Amino acid sequence: MLAFLLKRLSMAVLVALTVSSLTFSLNFLSGDPAIALGGESATEADLQTIRETYGYDKPIPVQYINWLTRAVQGDLGQSHYLNQPVSEEIFQRLPTTMALGLCALVFALALSIPLGVLAAIRPNSLLDRFALTIAVVGQAMPSFWFGLTMMLWFAINWRILPVSGSDSWKHFVMPSIALGYYITPGVMRLTRAGMLEVLRSDYIRTARAKGVSKFSLLFKHALRNAIIPVVSLAAVQFGFMLGGSIVIETIFAINGLGFLAWESIQRADLPMMQAIVLVLSFFYIALTFFADVLNAWLDPRIRIG
Amino acid sequence: MKSIKISLLVGLLATTALPAMAGKAQDTLNWATDKEVAVVDPYFSVTRELVIMGHMGWDGLVLFNNETGDFDPLLATGWEWKSNTVVEFDLRQGVVFHDGSTFDADDVVYTINFLADEANGVPAQSVVNWMKSATKIDQYKVRLELVQPFPNAFAYLANEISIMPEGYYDGSTIGADGTRDLSGVTPNGTGPYRVSDVRTGKYVNWDKNENYFADGPKGTPQIGHINFRTIGETNTQLAELMTGGLDWAWDVPKEQALRLEDSGQVQVVNEKTLRISYLTFDVTGSSGQDYFTDQKVRAAVAHAINREAIAKELVGPASVVIHSACHPEQFGCTEDVPQYDYDPEKAKALLAEAGYPDGFDFDLYGYREREFTEAVIGDLAAVGIRAKLNWLQYSSLLQALQNGKTPVAQMTWGSSSIPDVAAITSHFFSGSADDPAKDPRTAEALRRGDTSVDPEVRAEAYAEALNIISEELYWLPMFTYTKYYAFSNDLNFTPTADEIPRLYEASWK
């Protein structure tokens, strides 16, 4: 088990390094960051000053190594745009994005697990097709369109929810649904498949023979075993939602990490972008690592193979 | 049973329904843009939002009057040019900063000398590096010395140079990576509004400055609070406007603005701006496509494009076609230059004359408002000039342009709201990397205009340069940009062409 953990851990570090170096290089492909920072009216002299001040005149590998050296020492640098330490800004916004991600995950699980169970009770029936349709619509619909449609009905026409912001729980209702709906099909299908397999097993047959009630059979005996892979999938999806909240945060004016990432790309704020990518990849890698370990713990074949 | 359920639902909706947060009722003007405000400081943040807020929280020595085109005294009460590079200001007495300290010459001297010192790291050096130093003559009189004669001095003093209290930046340091840490600086100015609360990237709230001096050109602030929020998505901004969450927004896309106007829920105004659109040609052939080295081909392009239709149909009713390489409202801009009217037949004849009776294929570059560039492509195709569109980010396009890699590019320029041709024509035709032709004749004429403070000398010099540019067609000036503003029916607000909305002048009906 220790060897497995070490192997996974070194893989995780390697992935984090690759992601950060790739992001660093990609930043320069979209043009000179000094122009983005100086604005349209900056003169050539202004641009040169910016390049020298922020070190953009040095070769890209040198810039990357300088950044990495400071980052390893815990200094993620100053935002060139916000004029504040990058870490301060990220940790100020992280709770908002975490809250949005968690709410979206709760919504997704609350919708997809019952749908998965329902679909497994009557496989290939009309009910199964209906559950699948609800779930697939979530994935097929662009989240920005879904978000704006909800805004039109719930905020403008009926005025029962606020349009945008993050000041109260009401502000999180529409963004959570828009974000969480997207991951519903995966969770639903996994729940359905797990339930189908478990419902065919011997101990369920025995429980049924003992006269256990249908509700208890489904939710106490069957779902508890069928849901194990769903837990690890949910962990990975949570990471996806943290990184994937850019569009939703922009639409609903939730000034979290996703919106900060989008804005930082537009204004070529390299230290901020690097730090966000690092933090998000850290979460994603940690959650994937957690899911791997959980699976390995549950299924010895994984850690041996 | 069913009726009970419906009653419950209606009751629930009634109790949870959100009242429209009418700004007038709360004496709070709520406005938003898509930009994050990082630090409330007009020098270390180069966004338009900070220019607007700079005028709310701080005052300059002078203020540009959009109606008269003159500069009104603000923190100064009068001035006198002692030479082309020295001007002395008498300062207003009885003005206090938001923290209660008194304004005098020491604050002006501190601000200007701080800005003029490159070591202090103001990012937009071109905004401040024309000032050499300031010296105190007495408590309410200062002398400003310029590095060299600079025609835009008063425009910059009005738009960009806000006076800070003495020692304002003492608590901030420049880090190893060159960024100034402003976390220890509390916003403090003499302006009509004072910062009451700020959260980086989310909101900036302002309260009326009850002690604001009464007889200044900014008037007396009327609205109790002015709150700014960042809302990245235009549709969300409009939804907030319609539900009362916002009272003011700008840069509304034309289609949505017209729909809003029809709804009558808000006031919609289309106002001109100082931004213009133009086509810039590769007149040296460095891009590898040398069609545009021939003036006849450039003239064919000019006659082929229906600029009037683009201005009126696509841009907005306040847009006008321009013929000169400047905005008609800028000082020194003259439209008395060679003009190229829409005439496709003449365009075809010119092409044939230039040796391209069947037209040709070329690369056209653009970065902003794709529909405008596509209209240009359509008009050119009608006379046989077939454009392949290359759509780039601004920073990439600028690099390509400066490296001479673009046969033709549709560009725009806002002149940083400076109402003077020195902010556009001198920038592009004085021989810098941005100059498409590097014609010594334009450089010489512009130098004459830029180094004089005599309006007549300047106007004559600029007219000479503008005539050369139009005659040679180094640029094809296209049209002026406009901006759609949408704001509450309860609000009195007048937009201005310089794109510095005077929110501090707004009032409730």
Side-chain angles (χ1 to χ4, degrees), chain A residues 46 81 93 159 164 251 255, chain B residues 18 36 126 201 229 236 240:
Chain A
D46 288 348
Y81 179 83
R93 300 198 195 204
R159 307 236 174 154
S164 64
I251 289 173
N255 297 57
Chain B
L18 298 171
E36 288 196 316
S126 57
R229 281 175 68 194
T236 312
E240 289 281 15

Side-chain angles (χ1 to χ4, degrees), chain A residues 11-24 64:
Chain A
M11 281 290 282
V13 171
L14 210 62
V15 169
L17 271 174
T18 312
V19 168
S20 79
S21 62
L22 269 177
T23 322
F24 204 90
Y64 179 65

Side-chain angles (χ1 to χ4, degrees), chain B residues 37 97 139 169 191 199 204 273 276 294 350-351 413 420 480:
Chain B
V37 168
F97 284 96
Q139 194 182 358
Y169 292 109
R199 176 141 174 222
V204 184
T273 72
I276 66 158
D294 187 341
L350 280 166
L351 277 178
W413 190 251
D420 194 299
T480 58

Side-chain angles (χ1 to χ4, degrees), chain B residues 187-203:
Chain B
N188 183 25
T190 59
Y193 283 84
R194 56 194 299 168
V195 174
S196 62
D197 193 11
V198 55
R199 176 141 174 222
T200 306
K202 198 169 178 188
Y203 60 78

Side-chain angles (χ1 to χ4, degrees), chain B residues 80-102:
Chain B
E80 189 183 349
W81 281 97
K82 294 290 180 184
S83 73
N84 276 2
T85 55
V86 176
V87 56
E88 287 181 1
F89 292 93
D90 292 309
L91 303 178
R92 191 180 290 272
Q93 299 187 24
V95 176
V96 289
F97 284 96
H98 298 148
D99 68 353
S101 58
T102 306

